[in-house]
Amino acid sequence: RGSAIVVWNGRDHLDANLFSFDDRQGLDFERFILSNVPQLKTSVRDELPRGTGGVVNFKSDLSAPRSRPLWASAEDFKVHQLLEV
């Protein structure tokens, strides 16, 4: 699951902004594009982790069940946990 915004100038420049719940999908997308449009090359890649619990983490850094975020009320967090199942 995730989303992508891709802008291409029709020749030699492509910008892709990806959001994914799976940390590996960005690299899979990059490999797919480069294998199908060989005149393109990667010039810049920024990977931004998601935040939880008042700190910024990659999903792979999290091992324990999620605690209530600092900004969420107890009621909001209960609703969120019910929806995650």
Side-chain angles (χ1 to χ4, degrees):
R1 296 186 316 181
S3 61
I5 297 173
V6 179
V7 179
W8 181 41
N9 73 352
R11 289 189 344 239
D12 59 0
H13 186 90
L14 182 127
D15 288 327
N17 292 299
L18 307 172
F19 169 78
S20 172
F21 291 102
D22 182 350
D23 297 337
R24 297 174 309 235
Q25 283 184 339
L27 291 175
D28 294 341
F29 180 81
E30 180 181 355
R31 282 189 213 108
F32 174 79
I33 293 295
L34 294 176
S35 66
N36 287 287
V37 188
Q39 64 268 32
L40 295 178
K41 66 180 172 96
T42 302
S43 59
V44 176
R45 180 186 317 115
D46 291 326
E47 294 183 23
L48 305 173
R50 59 190 127 268
T52 183
V55 297
V56 178
N57 295 306
F58 282 101
K59 187 175 182 181
S60 58
D61 294 338
L62 304 175
S63 58
R66 188 183 316 182
S67 61
R68 182 172 62 88
L70 299 174
W71 48 264
S73 69
E75 184 61 30
D76 288 342
F77 190 63
K78 283 182 193 175
V79 170
H80 178 73
Q81 285 179 315
L82 291 173
L83 295 174
E84 259 188 355
V85 176

